[in-house]
Amino acid sequence: INDTYGHPIGDAVISGIAEAIQAALRPADRLYRLGGDEFATVLCNVDTQQAIRLAELCLAHAQTYPFRAHGVTEPVSLSIGIACSAESISLYDLQKQADLAMYTAKRPGARKIICYIPEMDALATLVSNRTVSAVFQAITNPTLIELHYQPVMHLPTQVTGYVEALARIRLETGQLLTPDAIFPIVNARGLDAEFDLTILKALDQQLRLPDFPDQLGVSFNLSAQGIVS
């Protein structure tokens, strides 16, 4: 939205989202902006089903909010993660659980409201600050993308017809981030088209190198969002 309409409109959309969510919450519930387009609220004295109903109300208010008044024609939607605990738990851990549920809700094809379950803890390493930061840095700096080329051979001659470019990100520690760590973040953050473009920029830079094999065909993968845009 910022790229298409400018930051003032982006700010107006953020304000509109806050207004819509606050209108859906109970009078005593406080809404907190964590940063960017992420908000949180702490619901006291509710069970899981009541929390889900409040989340559904937040979705309904956001869907009917007049964002078109700002000239925004795209649908504005929410992805909501819920963490509930009847036992004593730190606010930090509760927020972490809700965060994992929200990342799950942001995945393509997922429901817009997801409740935390312990199986989601496996996502924690994939959405760690270091990994998220590395993905964002790579998107703004294609030189951080490391392309690996997998030969695609004609059988039975085993002659390489072309190569497939596969994206990796090299951390400062030397660790290599592979697709199973990269793409859950890309998908959850809605960065599919941006990451596709970054890979293309990195590929373009490598194709210009004098030692890149001449006349070698290269294929690459595009996301559905990348194709549409």
Side-chain angles (χ1 to χ4, degrees):
I1 288 176
N2 284 340
D3 292 342
T4 304
Y5 301 100
H7 287 275
I9 299 299
D11 291 344
V13 169
I14 291 290
S15 297
I17 289 172
E19 186 179 324
I21 297 174
Q22 188 68 69
L25 298 176
R26 301 168 303 178
D29 294 332
R30 297 286 300 276
L31 182 67
Y32 302 92
R33 185 182 180 191
L34 302 180
D37 59 354
E38 293 189 0
F39 295 83
T41 187
V42 181
L43 305 174
C44 298
N45 302 316
V46 299
D47 59 25
T48 302
Q49 290 305 313
Q50 290 171 318
I52 291 174
R53 283 195 290 271
L54 275 169
E56 290 171 340
L57 200 56
C58 290
L59 280 180
H61 276 65
Q63 288 170 349
T64 57
Y65 190 87
F67 291 107
R68 285 182 175 271
H70 301 298
V72 177
T73 57
E74 296 92 335
V76 177
S77 62
L78 308 179
S79 299
I80 302 176
I82 298 175
C84 295
S85 178
E87 302 174 359
S88 177
I89 183 175
S90 72
L91 193 60
Y92 173 82
D93 288 336
L94 197 65
Q95 180 186 338
K96 183 179 177 181
Q97 292 176 359
D99 215 27
L100 292 174
M102 182 195 66
Y103 275 109
T104 304
K106 282 187 173 186
R107 288 186 163 185
R111 300 188 307 277
K112 290 296 184 181
I113 301 171
I114 297 287
C115 291
Y116 167 82
I117 56 175
E119 287 78 5
M120 292 177 185
D121 288 339
L123 272 175
T125 56
L126 302 184
V127 295
S128 68
N129 288 337
R130 185 179 66 172
T131 307
V132 172
S133 176
V135 171
F136 272 95
Q137 288 177 14
I139 286 176
T140 57
N141 183 4
T143 61
L144 299 177
I145 294 289
E146 187 173 303
L147 292 177
H148 291 204
Y149 297 98
Q150 177 172 281
V152 180
M153 297 182 174
H154 293 295
L155 297 179
T157 62
Q158 296 193 4
V159 174
T160 299
Y162 58 95
V163 294
E164 180 183 3
L166 305 172
R168 308 286 189 266
I169 298 175
R170 181 75 65 178
L171 299 179
E172 293 179 357
T173 60
Q175 179 186 356
L176 198 64
L177 289 183
T178 52
D180 58 340
I182 297 170
F183 287 103
I185 295 171
V186 170
N187 297 152
R189 298 275 179 161
L191 298 170
D192 303 78
E194 289 89 344
F195 195 72
D196 287 347
L197 186 59
T198 300
I199 294 174
L200 287 175
K201 288 178 179 177
L203 182 57
D204 179 60
Q205 291 172 357
Q206 293 213 353
L207 287 172
R208 296 174 186 274
L209 296 176
D211 58 346
F212 197 91
D214 195 26
Q215 302 299 319
L216 178 64
V218 181
S219 72
F220 51 87
N221 298 303
L222 282 178
S223 65
Q225 292 87 340
I227 293 173
V228 169
S229 67

